[in-house]
């Protein structure tokens, strides 16, 4: 690990990223441009999140990395390895023990604390992009708070599907000022965006950083007659029995048998260790 | 009665070339002003200066705002001007595609201005959209279709509905019937005339087609080489043109 600077990036780059993070925290939901660096992994592998984590980590931190809730996917493992090698920080799979959590597509089920930082990997930071491809125009719309278009998108959703079908990256209004893309987390996680921990969002390819400070008001956009709902599969976890966690559906065999399991693997494990059991607990499930 | 719009000494240059110059007129509530002239005479330049799409090099565009009375919109802040553009003003482009969102359904196109000013009830927005489709003679079953599936005439009528849904006090139109087949033009003109009367709209309509102003405009300005050569009541100007250029314009139409 000595061939690298701490956490791979040079000190000047980390200072530049920290300035962007501080600006983001000072203006919740505002997309701060930053000079994204080449990272030794392809875009789409969370280079934005990795750079934010690199600028955030100190040698005393304990890092957890999750991908869609799981600590053991290729993506999560390789990012964890990357920081073990380049920063020498401790890593953990336990949400409780982590001080910095880098995530792709989920917020942990356990309530995060004030002394924790969660870093989201963001593919497309601009929530208005789908409707207005011109960057100059979307920046102007943010600066003038012209957000009618966001509701046009939700209108289209309802008119086509009979309900707001947006299930991931569900847009939010932060601190009564900026409309923000919360990254592709399921909308089930949206209510958790009002949390005690610091939330940082990094988009590598798009070169944007944004943030939500602790205890900030975050409202999911909706219509009066189609209110926002934080939905999940109408089941409980087949392994730990949890009724309140976001579930993945797993096809078990050719006969089409399915099971529902917590997407947050650490949450599921800790519940099972505490003795909770689901419908298929004890069977030899993956 | 105060004028709704006072245009004073508008001038716009493109480098050394004159777009329009020294244009002044007042527009009163429920009045329709027609601006005619051949291609290149400066009609669109003038209209875009009035609507805030172009920054004039000189002159004032004073609009009688609801909140603060007459205000020069050239010097007001951009957020204020953009707010005006999506509430009290409307702009109908010659090419419907410039004024529509082609990837959004007809209903979404009409609803956008409502949502932009804070309407948050889906049922109410959809109801208004369907109502407006009816008013511009588009079957309500098309409410969820994208405008790319519409004919040119339907697209133009949709653009008009999208603009009028918030009840603007002033509508700018640039060649609203241009580029359409003659039979389609006639139907659109009838529709526009009905809406103008029914809603008591104030409008500035730019066209090179004298039939359009004959039907829609109370007053007329004739432009040539960037400035106004003759102005007056529409019937007077067309029936008894004073300026040689207007006489030429009118006679060439009569020969058609
Ligand atoms: N963007 C531009 N750049 C340079 N010259 C322009 C531009 N737009 C218009 N002009 C010129 O300004 C004059 C008025 O044009 P325009 O307002 O488009 O007239 P009209 O709408 O009556 O056809 C013409 O000589 C035209 O060539
Ligand atoms: Mg023109």
């Amino acid at each position: 690990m000595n061939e690298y600077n701490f956490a791979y990036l040079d000190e000047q780059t980390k200072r530049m990223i920290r300035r962007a993070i501080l600006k983001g925290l000072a203006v919740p939901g505002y997309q701060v441009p930053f000079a994204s660096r080449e990272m030794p992994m392809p875009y789409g592998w969370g280079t934005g999140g990795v750079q934010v984590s690199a600028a955030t980590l100190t040698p005393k931190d304990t890092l957890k990395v999750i991908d869609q809730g799981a600590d053991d996917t290729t993506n999560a493992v390789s990012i964890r390895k990357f920081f073990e090698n380049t920063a020498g920080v401790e890593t953990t799979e336990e949400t409780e023990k982590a001080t910095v959590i880098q995530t792709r597509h989920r917020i942990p089920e356990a309530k995060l604390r004030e002394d924790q930082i969660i870093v989201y990997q963001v593919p497309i930071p601009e929530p208005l992009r789908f409707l207005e491809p011109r960057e100059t125009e979307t920046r102007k719309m943010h600066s003038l708070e012209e957000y009618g278009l966001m509701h046009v998108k939700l209108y289209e959703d309802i008119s086509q599907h009979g309900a707001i079908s947006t299930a991931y990256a569900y847009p939010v209004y932060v601190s009564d000022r900026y409309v923000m893309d919360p990254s592709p987390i399921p909308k089930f996680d949206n209510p958790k965006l009002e949390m005690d921990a610091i939330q940082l969002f990094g988009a590598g390819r798009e070169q944007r950083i944004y943030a939500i400070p602790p205890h900030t008001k975050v409202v999911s956009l909706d219509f009066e007659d189609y209110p926002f709902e934080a939905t999940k599969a109408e089941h409980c976890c087949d392994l730990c029995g949890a009724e309140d966690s976001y579930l993945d559906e797993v096809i078990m065999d050719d006969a089409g048998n399915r099971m529902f399991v917590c997407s947050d693997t650490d949450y599921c494990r800790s519940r099972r260790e505490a003795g909770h059991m689901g419908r298929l607990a004890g069977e030899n499930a993956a | 009665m105060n004028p709704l719009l006072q245009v004073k000494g508008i001038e716009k240059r493109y480098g050394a070339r004159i777009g329009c110059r020294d244009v002044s007129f007042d527009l009163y509530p429920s009045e329709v002003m027609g601006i005619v002239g051949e291609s290149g005479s400066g009609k669109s330049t003038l209209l875009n200066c009035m609507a805030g799409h172009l920054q004039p090099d000189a002159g004032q565009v004073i609009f009688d705002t609801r909140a603060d009375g007459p205000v020069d919109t050239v010097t007001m802040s951009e957020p204020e001007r953009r707010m005006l553009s999506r509430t009290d003003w409307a702009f109908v482009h010659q090419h419907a595609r410039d004024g529509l969102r082609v990837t959004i359904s007809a209903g979404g196109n009409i609803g956008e201005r409502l949502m932009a000013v804070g309407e948050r009830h889906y049922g109410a927005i959809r109801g208004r959209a369907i109502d407006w489709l009816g008013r511009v003679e588009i079957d309500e079953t098309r409410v969820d279709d994208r405008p790319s599936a519409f004919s040119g005439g339907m697209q133009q009528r949709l653009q008009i509905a999208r603009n009028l849904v918030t009840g603007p006090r002033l509508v700018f139109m640039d060649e609203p019937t241009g580029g359409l087949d003659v039979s389609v033009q006639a139907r659109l003109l009838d529709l526009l005339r009905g809406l103008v009367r029914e809603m008591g709209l104030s409008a500035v309509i730019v066209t090179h087609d004298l039939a359009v102003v004959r039907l829609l405009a109370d007053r007329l300005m004739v432009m040539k080489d960037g400035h106004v050569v003759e102005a007056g009541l529409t019937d007077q100007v067309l029936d008894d043109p004073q300026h040689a250029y207007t006489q030429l314009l009118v006679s060439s139409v009569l020969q058609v």
Side-chain angles (χ1 to χ4, degrees), chain A residues 137 140 146 156 224-225, chain B residues 78 82 86 105 120 122-123:
Chain A
E137 189 61 19
K140 186 162 279 173
E146 289 182 4
E156 292 291 287
E224 288 156 17
D225 46 344
Chain B
E78 193 185 10
R82 280 173 73 116
R86 56 178 200 268
S105 69
R120 292 292 177 264
Y122 173 84

Side-chain angles (χ1 to χ4, degrees), chain B residues 176-194:
Chain B
T177 59
L180 298 176
D181 293 345
V182 177
S183 60
V184 178
Q185 280 185 15
R187 183 173 172 199
L188 187 69
L189 269 179
D190 274 348
L191 180 83
L192 270 176
R193 186 165 63 164

